[in-house]
């Protein structure tokens, strides 16, 4: 399997960002619940810029997300009103590297395969402590 990486980038108006933010957690939850979604994360930058990085098993999985009722009825019309700029890119992920997280308790780095899920690794391989995710 060669996963499909889809990047969606948006720049929101000030008012548009305020209207979108209440939908952010549901957007991630709905995306992650779509069959074939391997990863969904969002990154924000100054200037009300957001990048959604999603990893899918194949194009059919992306279509399931595009056809999702919440995506079609809330997000698609919303982005048309909320945003001043947007773009999408699709890339075949030929190679991926392990995700590594540092343990706050012992300082050891723990790796996990395949590296797609930001919730993994969950435990330190050395001391067994829970590895907390950084939240901004």
């Amino acid at each position: 399997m060669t996963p499909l990486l889809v990047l969606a980038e948006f720049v929101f108006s000030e008012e548009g960002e305020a209207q979108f933010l209440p939908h952010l957690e549901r957007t991630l939850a709905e995306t992650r619940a779509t069959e074939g979604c391997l990863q969904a994360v969002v990154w924000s930058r100054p200037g009300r810029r957001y990048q959604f990085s999603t990893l899918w098993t194949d194009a059919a999985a992306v279509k399931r997300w595009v056809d999702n009722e919440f995506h079609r009825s809330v997000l698609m019309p919303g982005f048309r009103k909320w945003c001043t700029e947007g773009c999408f890119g699709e890339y075949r992920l030929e190679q991926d590297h392990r995700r590594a997280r540092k343990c706050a308790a012992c300082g050891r780095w723990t790796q996990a395969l395949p590296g797609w899920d930001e919730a993994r690794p969950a435990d330190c391989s050395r001391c067994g402590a829970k590895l907390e995710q950084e939240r901004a």
Side-chain angles (χ1 to χ4, degrees):
M1 171 186 73
T2 301
L4 178 63
L5 173 66
V6 178
L7 300 179
E9 299 180 39
F10 299 100
V11 179
F12 288 87
S13 67
E14 188 173 343
E15 180 181 316
E17 181 182 45
Q19 293 175 1
F20 165 70
L21 286 176
H23 300 290
L24 179 56
E25 288 304 315
R26 181 170 179 197
T27 298
L28 289 171
E30 293 271 346
T31 306
R32 291 170 177 157
T34 302
E35 180 187 347
C37 178
L38 301 171
Q39 173 181 293
V41 295
V42 64
W43 302 96
S44 64
R45 294 187 353 226
R48 296 180 303 279
R49 296 177 175 276
Y50 290 78
Q51 181 186 66
F52 293 84
S53 300
T54 55
L55 193 59
W56 305 90
T57 54
D58 54 24
V62 175
K63 181 166 179 7
R64 284 190 287 278
W65 167 239
V66 170
D67 292 340
N68 174 285
E69 179 60 29
F70 174 71
H71 183 259
R72 295 196 78 68
S73 65
V74 175
L75 296 180
M76 289 172 72
F79 283 132
R80 289 184 186 103
K81 293 184 293 189
W82 304 330
C83 297
T84 60
E85 186 178 324
C87 73
F88 297 87
E90 296 185 9
Y91 310 91
R92 293 281 168 202
L93 187 63
E94 297 296 329
Q95 184 174 349
D96 191 22
H97 298 273
R98 296 177 180 193
R99 177 178 298 273
R101 296 177 65 202
K102 189 174 183 178
C103 179
C106 72
R108 179 182 173 88
W109 285 89
T110 299
Q111 294 184 351
L113 289 175
W116 302 330
D117 184 350
E118 65 183 350
R120 301 218 182 340
D123 302 309
C124 177
S125 63
R126 177 188 218 174
C127 72
K130 290 285 181 205
L131 298 174
E132 298 297 322
Q133 292 183 41
E134 290 288 325
R135 294 289 180 197

